[in-house]
Amino acid sequence: MSPTTLALTQAPGLVDLAKEFDENKVTPGVLGFLVFAVLGLAVWMLMKSLNRHIGRVDFEESPASDTGRS
């Protein structure tokens, strides 16, 4: 028995709610698109800034000293 079937048999009120649910009425809409677009723009700007900062790093490793090692 699947968990969904078990949940529906245990709670008869959920069956009525499931019958009233219309998938065509539930959409993210314009607000969902705007939030997604703003998040995408923010990630793009952060990546661009990260690449610029990483490009400015000038790291040269100092040579290892041979003091006391054989």
Side-chain angles (χ1 to χ4, degrees), residues 27-49:
T27 62
V30 176
L31 180 62
F33 173 75
L34 290 176
V35 169
F36 188 76
V38 168
L39 286 173
L41 182 65
V43 168
W44 178 74
M45 290 173 64
L46 284 171
M47 292 292 290
K48 192 173 178 181
S49 176

Side-chain angles (χ1 to χ4, degrees), residues 46-66:
L46 284 171
M47 292 292 290
K48 192 173 178 181
S49 176
L50 177 71
N51 283 332
R52 192 173 348 155
H53 282 87
I54 293 294
R56 291 181 184 168
V57 173
D58 185 27
F59 177 75
E60 293 181 17
E61 189 174 341
S62 60
S65 62
D66 291 332

Side-chain angles (χ1 to χ4, degrees), residues 8-32:
L8 290 176
T9 57
Q10 297 298 323
L14 291 178
V15 175
D16 295 332
L17 288 175
K19 289 179 184 177
E20 295 175 13
F21 179 72
D22 185 11
E23 292 181 3
N24 295 326
K25 291 183 181 178
V26 181
T27 62
V30 176
L31 180 62

